[in-house]
Amino acid sequence: MSVRELVVLGTASQVPTRHRNHNGYLLRWDGQGLLFDPGEGTQRQMLRAGVAAHDLNRICVTHFHGDHSLGLAGVIQRINLDRVPHPVTAHYPASGQRFFDRLRYATAYRETVRLIERPVDADGELDRAESYVLEARRLWHPVESYGYRLVEPDTRRMLPERLAEHGIAGPDIGRLKQLGELNGVTLDEVSEQRRGQRFAFVMDTRLCEGVHALAEGADMLVIESTFLDEDIQLAVDHGHLTAGQAAEVATRAGVRHLVLTHFSQRYADPTEFERQARTAGYTGELTIAQDLSRVPLPKRH
């Protein structure tokens, strides 16, 4: 059975707290595992969350600030120590190649796994897997940063009652799918389009076109909300978003499930982020991310 869920490994910004580890997010997408922004301590959080190195197929780094990337060294070495039986692809800003190289070879170890480096240097499609297309968009932060988006291709859902009305059954269903028409019956008459799911991951950034492009029509948007709205000037100065800004993006984009994360250590009560997101007008499903929580993607329409 396919599983699509977000496993939250860490939710702190800049420095960890007693209750929040540095960043780390694993997206389980059917049989694939995509690890986003492995900050310091990610390897231990994976153990606590029941995530194995074998679960990883991709590593996606938004930018090379420590809270989003210092865990790379340990994760890469763990992949090799456990002899993961498949290649692992790494995406990261091309301008940070020197940082990736330093983290990949931070200490001596035996390389046993093929790690494919696919740096990002422009907006657009990065790769295609069996059930999704991976895209990237440039964000606005003091260092080069990219957000990521998974798009599942649209499919067709056959409607049994309409098939029965037209007397189409068995092998004829497959022929109709292939040909688009059979015995005067068109595919549109006995099926409907099923929209593919969309997942967006947006970390450190000010408001910009890339944020809106990534969020557009997302079934789940994981987005930083480092500051509360009363500290909006701090957000602007340091290249971040507030809870209200993130919620406004989600509302405008028609996001079904909003996940707020990357919280500044200055705030002890996370419920205020939820209150401000609702005040900003977001009415969909809302999660204030907590370390080691699991958040399922919304069911398909």
Side-chain angles (χ1 to χ4, degrees):
M1 181 178 178
S2 64
V3 174
R4 295 185 180 180
E5 67 173 1
L6 178 74
V7 182
V8 180
L9 303 174
T11 58
S13 69
Q14 194 170 29
V15 297
T17 71
R18 290 188 178 187
H19 304 290
R20 296 187 181 278
N21 197 74
H22 267 163
N23 289 280
Y25 310 85
L26 176 76
L27 176 65
R28 295 190 187 276
W29 186 281
D30 301 343
Q32 293 266 312
L34 296 90
L35 177 64
F36 294 91
D37 279 8
E40 186 179 353
T42 292
Q43 190 178 178
R44 184 169 183 272
Q45 294 294 91
M46 287 170 59
L47 178 65
R48 296 180 69 197
V51 175
H54 284 62
D55 296 331
L56 306 183
N57 298 90
R58 293 184 191 273
I59 302 173
C60 300
V61 178
T62 59
H63 65 291
F64 285 101
H65 277 156
D67 53 325
H68 296 261
S69 62
L70 280 177
L72 266 173
V75 169
I76 290 173
Q77 291 192 26
R78 185 58 180 270
I79 288 169
N80 286 274
L81 179 65
D82 288 1
R83 297 179 180 270
V84 170
H86 52 258
V88 176
T89 303
H91 303 281
Y92 50 88
S95 62
Q97 184 67 54
R98 66 191 186 280
F99 300 123
F100 185 86
D101 292 342
R102 291 171 188 169
L103 289 163
R104 180 174 181 178
Y105 299 110
T107 65
Y109 66 98
R110 179 178 296 178
E111 292 188 88
T112 64
V113 177
R114 183 182 174 211
L115 182 63
I116 304 168
E117 297 183 13
R118 296 285 300 276
V120 184
D121 60 5
D123 290 353
E125 181 180 317
L126 299 178
D127 206 353
R128 286 178 176 260
E130 184 177 346
S131 62
Y132 65 84
V133 176
L134 180 65
E135 303 172 346
R137 292 290 185 278
R138 181 79 178 265
L139 299 175
W140 186 14
H141 198 51
V143 301
E144 187 173 31
S145 182
Y146 284 91
Y148 296 94
R149 175 178 167 95
L150 273 75
V151 178
E152 179 183 33
D154 294 340
T155 58
R156 280 275 172 183
R157 176 175 19 215
M158 306 305 288
L159 302 173
E161 66 281 2
R162 294 188 188 175
L163 288 168
E165 288 174 8
H166 290 87
I168 299 175
D172 283 345
I173 297 175
R175 295 189 187 100
L176 178 58
K177 285 182 179 180
Q178 183 178 9
L179 299 173
E181 183 177 350
L182 185 69
N183 299 329
V185 179
T186 66
L187 187 60
D188 286 339
E189 291 180 272
V190 295
S191 68
E192 63 184 10
Q193 191 173 51
R194 188 182 195 189
R195 179 182 178 275
Q197 287 190 312
R198 290 159 172 76
F199 170 88
F201 186 80
V202 176
M203 282 295 118
D204 300 14
T205 184
R206 300 179 182 93
L207 281 177
C208 63
E209 183 54 38
V211 175
H212 296 292
L214 290 161
E216 183 61 35
D219 294 278
M220 177 178 285
L221 169 63
V222 180
I223 187 169
E224 69 117 313
S225 58
T226 308
F227 294 102
L228 292 173
D229 292 342
E230 55 266 30
D231 294 319
I232 190 169
Q233 192 57 52
L234 283 174
V236 172
D237 292 345
H238 296 284
H240 287 291
L241 299 174
T242 68
Q245 288 177 318
E248 288 170 3
V249 167
T251 301
R252 172 177 166 180
V255 170
R256 297 177 62 198
H257 191 152
L258 173 63
V259 180
L260 298 182
T261 188
H262 194 271
F263 307 112
S264 169
Q265 68 272 21
R266 68 177 54 230
Y267 308 115
D269 182 9
T271 59
E272 185 62 15
F273 286 87
E274 179 176 6
R275 188 193 69 77
Q276 291 194 359
R278 294 302 189 192
T279 299
Y282 183 72
T283 58
E285 193 167 357
L286 174 62
T287 295
I288 305 302
Q290 296 182 3
D291 287 24
L292 306 180
S293 61
R294 294 173 181 267
V295 188
L297 266 71
K299 294 189 177 187
R300 303 182 199 188
H301 289 300

